[in-house]
């Protein structure tokens, strides 16, 4: 299709479109956290929420991939990547995250999940996939310091040690999500069917969870209430968010698309306040400001190749298109 107008106008239209994709993806990621909290607090188990998310996202992402003209080319590498991401990078962290969602405020959960870029940067460095400039090191330090502040005694008015256990579950989930992104980076660099590949990851998760849900008799009688809406909303929200993120990634590159992480954190906190009526303590707001600042630095600061000093002029394979 021919795009009319001069190059500057065309570039502006593409930029505006990508910003819409990024905002929608980030908003839905944040909203997904609120929906999971509603579902688990309404009586559904983490297994049920993770299963229905995976099953619905599988079909919706397959449909999106088909409409985008993607064709899957089966390979052994594809199979192992999907298996590893589906089990280690989706099923396990989803179970941890949704269990934590039943107890931890949505705003706090959003801040925990916002540590994914920091975990990714650290793992990429030790796997020699990426470098760390001084700016990135400081940003990572600030991000994890924000989590320490978040876990100060009596955070959110809680004194029960179990709440710290749930917070640990959310952080472990963030670590495993980051591990999944590292695994995916090995495959997606040469993949021209990202939506369908992502759908396969959700398919693996659905297959793993299906026998557990059935054997434990966890298929709940459906009654239309807020918890049921949350249960069936997590799949479509995640599928749409992933699709829009991929479109932003293709249209504007990884650095621009990574802004969705900041949007997801901001919107997660806001959705918790709007939908669930959460009120956040001063420690949460301090952590919020620190993490948003750290995410912005991680998003924009170039990597330093290992052994090359603090040269910020080099590009990173994980953050540049």
């Amino acid at each position: 299709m021919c795009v009319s107008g001069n190059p500057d106008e065309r570039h502006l239209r593409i930029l505006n479109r990508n910003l819409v994709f990024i905002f929608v993806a980030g908003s839905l990621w944040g909203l997904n956290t609120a929906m999971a909290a509603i579902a688990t607090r309404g009586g559904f188990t983490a297994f049920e929420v993770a299963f229905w998310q995976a099953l619905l996202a599988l079909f919706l992402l397959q449909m999106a991939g088909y409409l985008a003209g993607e064709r899957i080319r089966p390979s052994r590498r594809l199979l192992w990547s999907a298996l590893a991401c589906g089990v280690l990078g989706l099923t396990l962290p989803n179970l941890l995250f949704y269990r934590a969602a039943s107890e931890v405020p949505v705003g706090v959960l959003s801040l925990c999940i916002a540590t994914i870029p920091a975990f990714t940067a650290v793992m990429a460095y030790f796997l020699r996939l990426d470098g760390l400039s001084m700016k990135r090191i400081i940003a990572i330090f600030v991000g994890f310091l924000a989590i320490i502040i978040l876990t100060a005694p009596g955070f959110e008015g809680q004194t029960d040690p179990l709440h710290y256990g749930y917070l640990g579950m959310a952080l472990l989930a963030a670590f495993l999500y980051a591990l999944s992104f590292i695994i995916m980076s090995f495959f997606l660099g040469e993949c021209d069917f990202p939506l369908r590949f992502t759908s396969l990851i959700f398919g693996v998760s659905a297959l793993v969870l299906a026998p557990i849900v059935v054997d434990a008799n966890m298929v709940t009688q459906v009654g239309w209430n807020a918890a049921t809406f949350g249960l069936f909303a997590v799949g479509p929200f995640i599928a749409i968010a992933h699709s829009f993120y991929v479109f932003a990634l293709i249209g504007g590159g990884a650095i621009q698309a990574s802004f969705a992480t900041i949007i997801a954190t901001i919107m997660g906190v806001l959705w918790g306040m709007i939908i669930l009526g959460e009120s956040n303590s001063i420690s949460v707001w301090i952590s919020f400001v620190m993490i948003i600042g750290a995410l912005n630095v991680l998003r924009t600061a170039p990597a330093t190749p290992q052994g090359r000093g603090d040269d910020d002029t080099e590009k990173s394979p994980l953050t540049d298109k």
Side-chain angles (χ1 to χ4, degrees):
M1 181 177 67
C2 179
V3 180
S4 61
N6 61 51
D8 289 338
E9 291 177 346
R10 184 166 60 249
H11 176 75
L12 183 60
R13 282 195 294 269
I14 293 174
L15 176 61
N16 290 337
R17 182 189 62 189
N18 287 339
L19 290 177
V20 171
F21 290 158
I22 291 167
F23 181 78
V24 172
S27 297
L28 289 179
W29 272 328
L31 185 57
N32 178 73
T33 302
M35 292 298 102
I38 291 173
T40 53
R41 294 173 194 178
F44 292 103
T45 67
F47 287 94
E48 289 175 300
V49 177
F51 170 73
W52 284 107
Q53 182 210 64
L55 185 65
L56 294 174
L58 163 65
F59 289 111
L60 291 173
L61 285 170
Q62 277 288 338
M63 184 182 301
Y66 173 79
L67 294 175
E70 294 184 358
R71 291 187 178 182
I72 295 180
R73 290 188 297 275
S75 68
R76 182 174 298 178
R77 186 180 180 187
L78 168 68
L79 176 62
W80 284 111
S81 297
L83 283 173
C85 291
V87 176
L88 295 177
L90 186 64
T91 303
L92 289 179
N94 273 357
L95 292 176
L96 290 169
F97 184 68
Y98 293 148
R99 180 65 185 91
S102 65
E103 302 290 341
V104 178
V106 171
V108 176
L109 282 174
S110 298
L111 295 179
C112 291
I113 290 300
T115 60
I116 290 175
F119 281 125
T120 303
V122 172
M123 283 190 281
Y125 174 77
F126 283 108
L127 292 173
R128 304 190 67 82
L129 298 173
D130 209 348
L132 283 178
S133 65
M134 184 55 65
K135 290 181 180 179
R136 285 190 172 188
I137 293 174
I138 293 174
I140 292 170
F141 173 79
V142 170
F144 287 123
L145 179 61
I147 297 300
I148 294 175
I149 293 175
L150 194 65
T151 59
F155 86 96
E156 287 295 292
Q158 302 292 349
T159 57
D160 188 346
L162 280 177
H163 286 276
Y164 295 97
Y166 293 127
L167 198 65
M169 288 182 183
L171 289 172
L172 180 55
F175 173 82
L176 292 172
Y177 286 135
L179 178 61
S180 176
F181 292 153
I182 292 290
I183 297 173
M184 289 176 68
S185 69
F186 287 102
F187 186 81
L188 287 180
E190 304 172 358
C191 174
D192 57 0
F193 48 94
L195 293 173
R196 287 196 159 182
F197 174 68
T198 306
S199 76
L200 292 179
I201 295 174
F202 281 101
V204 169
S205 181
L207 286 175
V208 170
L209 290 168
I212 300 174
V213 172
V214 173
D215 285 349
N217 195 27
M218 292 179 180
V219 179
T220 310
Q221 290 290 338
V222 176
W224 290 109
N225 51 39
T228 305
F229 179 81
L231 176 71
F232 291 116
V234 289
F237 286 167
I238 281 293
I240 296 172
H242 273 77
S243 299
F244 275 63
Y245 179 78
V246 168
F247 295 150
L249 191 65
I250 294 172
I255 292 179
Q256 188 180 102
S258 65
F259 192 67
T261 306
I262 297 178
I263 299 296
T265 304
I266 295 173
M267 295 306 297
V269 174
L270 291 178
W271 287 128
M273 296 170 64
I274 295 170
I275 298 177
L276 297 173
E278 294 180 355
S279 59
N280 298 310
S281 66
I282 186 63
S283 63
V284 172
W285 288 116
I286 293 174
S287 298
F288 175 80
V289 172
M290 293 174 66
I291 286 177
I292 292 298
L295 286 175
N296 191 54
V297 172
L298 282 174
R299 183 180 68 87
T300 57
T304 297
Q306 295 178 355
R308 292 282 301 276
D310 194 17
D311 180 6
D312 281 354
T313 63
E314 297 290 337
K315 292 184 176 181
S316 160
L318 290 181
T319 56
D320 290 279
K321 190 176 180 181

